[in-house]
Amino acid sequence: MIYLKKAARTAETDQESVREVVTSMLAEIAAGGEETARAYARDLDKWSGDIIVSAADRAAAAALVPAQLKADIQFAHNNVRRFAEAQRGTVTDFAIEILPGLTAGQRQIPVSAAGCYVPGGRYSHVASAIMTITTAKVAGVPHIAACSPPRPGVGIPPAILYAMDLCGADVILSMGGVQGVAAMANGLFGLPKADILVGPGNQYVAEAKRILFGQVGIDMFAGPTDSMVVADATADPEMVAADLVGQAEHGYNSPVWLVTSDRALAEQVMALVPRLIETLPEINRISAQAAWRDFAEVILCGSAEEMAQVSDQFAPEHLHIQAENLDWWLQRLQSYGSLFLGEETTVAFGDKTSGPNHVLPTSGAARYTGGLSVHKFMKTVTWQRATRDAARPLAEATARISRLEGMEGHARSADIRLAKFFPGETFDLSQANGQG
């Protein structure tokens, strides 16, 4: 492979300073509780109003949302809900008789409380409310809290608040950033402590979730959003360029990659992207310019197989194939957060409305995990039950294996059952290799 454009920076650049700030904030909020969280809200969110959004404020927000936007939000919500319901159907309780008299099984139990983070700084991330809250609801989580950054003098933007309410948030907090994450994790403002924290956010939110992991579950370790387009000579260069720019506007450190087998296409796209970026609104333009300049890469490959190998190495969050033989790509590719096949779809569809979740693994994490799903909100737990006759071979083998391992207490918990269930019988319970 040949780099026609190489990134000057990586997503890890400057991460150490973020870690220090977040660690300090989390410790202060854990010690100071609600008052410290409120202080950060006043300082960082510029918000001194109520933290918990009332039912009246939810209704007032809904009244401010235009009918067409409500219909669009409902459209997206229905698609995400239907996909999540189909996911829920793939995980079931079961029981199996492993040997005569020994029955074991699994149950799917939702967590008791979820905390959903909905970004709302530069952009009104209505879709993130839909993706996180809806999925938790379908999973059967009994209590769903959600937080989002309020805007000074306004609060949470009406469209976000409407979406949070529509999707089933039990409690909504006007609080963003690290302080919002910490409030849900620590059970402040009357919330139950979250069992899991989910949702995208900036590097401070992502780092807060990473640090809190263990105290609570999280959806995944998240870095800046990233996207890859894999394109051959049949791709439309203007469409490829538009798709790269559409993802670069997420933030200054959002990598976008083009992997192609056609040098002419690559050169056309590299010429088009800066021109398309110049036409964006100012905030979007500044983010996209920095992302393209510092983080974007263009890689030339010799074949479809080489392109697939490069893609799997990068394990992109979003992977868009604009090439021939889409079925081959679907079967061949192994590492991605979400896959978009053909020019008829685009990452923006997945980000906003099409159904599969847009909370996805970044920074190569797609090598070992998928994105947010109903499964993330559920615990797969196991159980077992045995008759006394089934306990006999289990106890004999357990005792011998335990003694081989040097775990005498384990062995004796098997011995006592044999003595009680089969009095008067003699068993060879020495080490499995026959040495006492």
Side-chain angles (χ1 to χ4, degrees):
M1 66 180 183
I2 301 170
Y3 279 88
L4 302 182
K5 184 182 186 308
K6 181 73 173 173
R9 305 176 70 193
T10 70
E12 286 70 39
T13 304
D14 303 327
Q15 188 60 28
E16 187 58 40
S17 61
V18 172
R19 184 169 297 123
E20 291 174 0
V21 170
V22 175
T23 299
S24 175
M25 289 180 66
L26 289 174
E28 289 181 28
I29 294 170
E34 292 180 8
E35 285 309 308
T36 302
R38 286 183 190 275
Y40 273 117
R42 288 192 295 269
D43 183 37
L44 300 177
D45 294 328
K46 310 302 180 187
W47 179 255
S48 56
D50 293 338
I51 299 299
I52 302 298
V53 179
S54 67
D57 287 339
R58 295 193 193 200
L64 296 173
V65 180
Q68 182 60 61
L69 180 53
K70 283 183 179 176
D72 291 338
I73 291 171
Q74 291 164 8
F75 171 77
H77 171 245
N78 285 336
N79 291 343
V80 172
R81 177 184 51 77
R82 289 188 63 201
F83 190 83
E85 287 172 347
Q87 282 185 328
R88 180 65 182 86
T90 67
V91 287
T92 60
D93 297 352
F94 73 80
I96 179 174
E97 190 172 51
I98 295 176
L99 54 85
L102 171 63
T103 304
Q106 75 173 21
R107 292 186 61 211
Q108 305 295 328
I109 303 176
V111 299
S112 297
C116 301
Y117 188 86
V118 180
R122 286 172 298 175
Y123 308 120
S124 294
H125 284 287
V126 168
S128 291
I130 297 170
M131 299 290 173
T132 55
I133 300 167
T134 304
T135 309
K137 197 74 175 178
V138 171
V141 178
H143 189 281
I144 303 169
C147 74
S148 190
R151 294 185 179 173
V154 176
I156 298 173
I160 294 181
L161 195 51
Y162 171 74
M164 295 166 96
D165 184 64
L166 172 71
C167 297
D170 296 296
V171 178
I172 298 173
L173 286 74
S174 292
M175 184 173 281
V178 175
Q179 60 273 22
V181 171
M184 295 188 294
N186 291 305
L188 305 182
F189 305 103
L191 299 177
K193 290 184 178 182
D195 297 316
I196 188 170
L197 297 169
V198 303
N202 63 20
Q203 62 264 47
Y204 293 92
V205 170
E207 182 61 17
K209 288 167 59 184
R210 190 193 70 80
I211 293 171
L212 288 166
F213 178 60
Q215 174 184 333
V216 297
I218 62 172
D219 43 9
M220 65 201 74
F221 296 119
T225 188
D226 60 68
S227 295
M228 175 179 287
V229 175
V230 172
D232 63 13
T234 67
D236 181 335
E238 291 188 3
M239 198 165 286
V240 171
D243 288 339
L244 292 170
V245 170
Q247 292 304 300
E249 76 173 351
H250 271 287
Y252 76 92
N253 58 351
S254 295
V256 291
W257 305 294
L258 170 61
V259 178
T260 182
S261 55
D262 188 76
R263 181 181 284 271
L265 175 84
E267 291 173 349
Q268 286 179 283
V269 171
M270 287 191 292
L272 283 167
V273 165
R275 283 183 252 162
L276 293 178
I277 290 174
E278 284 298 321
T279 67
L280 292 173
E282 182 179 7
I283 293 176
N284 312 59
R285 183 174 70 249
I286 292 170
S287 294
Q289 284 173 335
W292 179 253
R293 179 187 66 238
D294 296 335
F295 293 91
E297 295 185 325
V298 178
I299 300 171
L300 183 64
C301 295
S303 65
E305 175 57 32
E306 187 178 12
M307 288 194 287
Q309 290 174 5
V310 170
S311 176
D312 280 346
Q313 289 169 9
F314 276 68
E317 177 187 11
H318 309 97
L319 177 55
H320 193 171
I321 306 301
Q322 299 186 38
E324 292 183 311
N325 200 359
L326 296 178
D327 288 339
W328 180 85
W329 290 99
L330 178 60
Q331 296 303 315
R332 167 61 183 81
L333 294 165
Q334 300 294 316
S335 298
Y336 51 83
S338 194
L339 180 62
F340 300 80
L341 294 162
E343 67 175 17
E344 292 78 15
T345 187
T346 177
V347 175
F349 291 175
D351 281 346
K352 309 302 178 186
T353 60
S354 57
N357 211 287
H358 82 188
V359 181
L360 299 166
T362 63
S363 305
R367 291 178 296 107
Y368 59 83
T369 188
L372 184 63
S373 67
V374 292
H375 313 130
K376 296 281 187 177
F377 294 101
M378 304 186 75
K379 301 170 289 184
T380 299
V381 297
T382 58
W383 58 268
Q384 56 189 272
R385 177 182 293 171
T387 64
R388 292 189 171 188
D389 285 339
R392 178 172 181 150
L394 293 169
E396 290 181 89
T398 297
R400 289 190 288 264
I401 290 172
S402 296
R403 289 195 167 94
L404 176 67
E405 295 175 341
M407 304 191 76
E408 184 62 25
H410 280 63
R412 291 179 185 180
S413 67
D415 295 347
I416 195 172
R417 282 164 173 78
L418 291 171
K420 179 176 181 178
F421 301 159
F422 307 99
E425 293 195 42
T426 301
F427 299 92
D428 179 9
L429 303 177
S430 57
Q431 289 184 12
N433 61 8
Q435 297 176 2

